[in-house]
Amino acid sequence: VVFSLPSANNFAMKGKRKTLNAGDVLSAMEEMEFQRFMVPLKESLEVYRREQKGKKEARKDKDKKADSEEQDKSREEDNDDDDERMEEEEQNDEEEVDN
């Protein structure tokens, strides 16, 4: 695989990119006739991509839960503030009646 890196770099340069991607490496390996490694490498790459996608989705779900919990807490705090205001108003009303 090390021998295919210069060739993979050529594929990236043709694409006007500085960063190699999996396709560059696979194309270079194919060009250098490393076909026996292609199938296992492609399968491993697909497994890796599925794992990464699963992790990303799990992270999104976790973030959504955290956001909804924060919104619930914010609503509770707003309700507490409203309750305090109502209590103060009731006390002020009672004081006015006494006066």
Side-chain angles (χ1 to χ4, degrees):
V1 178
V2 174
F3 296 106
S4 66
L5 289 179
S7 185
N9 190 43
N10 291 338
F11 282 100
M13 288 173 59
K14 286 178 187 175
K16 297 182 180 179
R17 293 178 282 110
K18 292 184 178 183
T19 305
L20 297 178
N21 63 29
D24 298 329
V25 175
L26 292 173
S27 296
M29 289 180 68
E30 196 171 319
E31 184 178 90
M32 298 179 76
E33 299 179 8
F34 284 113
Q35 279 79 12
R36 70 178 189 183
F37 298 110
M38 297 295 292
V39 173
L41 189 57
K42 285 181 181 180
E43 289 173 354
S44 296
L45 180 61
E46 187 60 34
V47 169
Y48 172 77
R49 286 181 175 162
R50 273 188 257 132
E51 288 174 355
Q52 293 303 309
K53 186 177 181 180
K55 288 178 183 179
K56 184 176 181 180
E57 289 173 358
R59 204 174 312 126
K60 280 184 182 179
D61 290 343
K62 184 179 176 183
D63 289 345
K64 283 182 183 179
K65 280 185 180 180
D67 287 345
S68 67
E69 287 175 2
E70 285 179 23
Q71 287 177 353
D72 290 344
K73 286 180 182 177
S74 176
R75 287 184 194 136
E76 287 174 9
E77 289 173 0
D78 288 345
N79 287 340
D80 290 345
D81 291 344
D82 290 343
D83 291 344
E84 288 176 13
R85 278 190 226 118
M86 289 178 70
E87 287 175 7
E88 288 175 7
E89 288 176 5
E90 288 174 3
Q91 288 176 353
N92 288 340
D93 289 344
E94 289 174 5
E95 288 176 6
E96 288 177 6
V97 170
D98 290 340
N99 290 336

